[in-house]
Amino acid sequence: MKAHDPTDSAETGRIFSELGRIKLGETDLDGVLHQVADLARRTLPGAGQVSITMIRDGDAYTGAHTGPAALLLDERQYAGAAGPGLDAALHRTTVAVPDTASDERWDGWPRLAAEAGFGSVLSAGLPIGDSMAGALTLYAERPHGFDDDGVTLAGTFARYASVALGNAHLYDSTASLAQHMQAAMESRAVIEQAKGIIMGERRCSPDEAFAILTKVSQDSNRKLRDVAAALVERTQRAP
């Protein structure tokens, strides 16, 4: 159900309480993006459809959306490198399109929104972090679908959502780093085991054993770790 009065502090508190209840250990960044988009559609006045634009390493994409029309309009923004969502994300600001039928900005993008059945659009920047930018875009069916209170509430929602998304991004990055470190440690361990096996069989030095492993890896077009793991496994199976 939509919030009936965006100035109602109890209703506003409930919305932001829902954002605060997102549990990072139970989902990833994509999951948080979809939860934020769904919550915005359910609670922000005027939001018929919602999308979240993400910009990472210069590439823009839609991280979450609540309807195919919102996704299509976002993709038209990316194709033309122009639109309210991109502006809001890059400049970390709020961009309003009160009447899509009469707005001439962004090479005619608002007219595409009008043809898709949206009379107004509101994009609020999501200041997620130094390496990532984003924007929450609300698509309303009627022109002037977002009054001053609605714009204020959407901006506040975006700031709270940015905290949840920033935490999710950090959580994902930390978990990914830990996984890479674990994999690297495991790879190093199995390579050391394989070197030990070669040194024992050929009475050679550690450097010579590593050179042998490397040559087998190159000749067989297989990863060094896979070659080492196969040798260790074969040795363990031997009677």
Side-chain angles (χ1 to χ4, degrees):
M1 178 180 295
K2 301 289 184 193
H4 296 294
D5 181 1
T7 63
D8 184 338
S9 60
E11 179 66 16
T12 301
R14 182 187 68 78
I15 294 172
F16 300 141
S17 177
E18 286 197 46
L19 279 172
R21 284 198 295 270
I22 295 175
K23 296 181 180 179
L24 300 182
E26 297 178 359
T27 185
D28 56 10
L29 176 59
D30 287 342
V32 175
L33 284 165
H34 283 87
Q35 290 184 52
V36 168
D38 181 66
L39 180 60
R41 183 193 60 78
R42 290 189 290 107
T43 59
L44 294 180
Q49 287 192 29
V50 174
S51 68
I52 299 179
T53 290
M54 302 292 287
I55 302 177
R56 184 186 303 188
D57 299 326
D59 294 325
Y61 66 97
T62 296
H65 62 89
T66 63
L71 174 61
L72 179 61
L73 287 168
D74 278 3
E75 290 176 341
R76 293 298 294 268
Q77 289 191 62
Y78 312 148
L86 289 177
D87 280 4
L90 292 172
H91 301 294
R92 302 193 175 196
T93 188
T94 298
V95 179
V97 186
D99 186 351
T100 57
S102 62
D103 200 305
E104 298 296 329
R105 289 175 290 177
W106 307 295
D107 297 324
W109 181 90
R111 289 195 300 275
L112 297 175
E115 292 169 1
F118 299 114
S120 51
V121 179
L122 179 66
S123 294
L126 296 166
I128 299 170
D130 293 336
S131 63
M132 181 179 292
L136 176 75
T137 298
L138 313 178
Y139 292 92
E141 293 180 1
R142 64 182 180 85
H144 304 284
F146 307 101
D147 60 16
D148 290 344
D149 287 331
V151 172
T152 298
L153 181 59
T156 305
F157 180 99
R159 288 193 296 274
Y160 274 78
S162 295
V163 175
L165 293 171
N167 288 339
H169 175 53
L170 178 60
Y171 187 91
D172 268 12
S173 299
T174 302
S176 177
L177 177 60
Q179 291 170 356
H180 285 309
M181 290 180 66
Q182 180 66 26
M185 291 173 65
E186 292 174 356
S187 294
R188 180 174 180 179
V190 75
I191 290 171
E192 290 299 320
Q193 283 183 278
K195 283 169 55 179
I197 293 170
I198 294 172
M199 289 165 61
E201 291 178 346
R202 304 202 180 189
R203 299 291 189 269
C204 62
S205 69
D207 288 345
E208 290 171 331
F210 185 74
I212 292 170
L213 277 175
T214 301
K215 187 175 188 307
V216 173
S217 172
Q218 293 173 343
D219 291 346
S220 61
N221 196 27
R222 297 160 62 198
K223 292 181 179 179
L224 183 63
R225 184 198 182 285
D226 293 341
V227 171
L231 174 59
V232 171
E233 183 181 358
R234 186 165 59 249
T235 302
Q236 291 174 343
R237 288 202 311 262

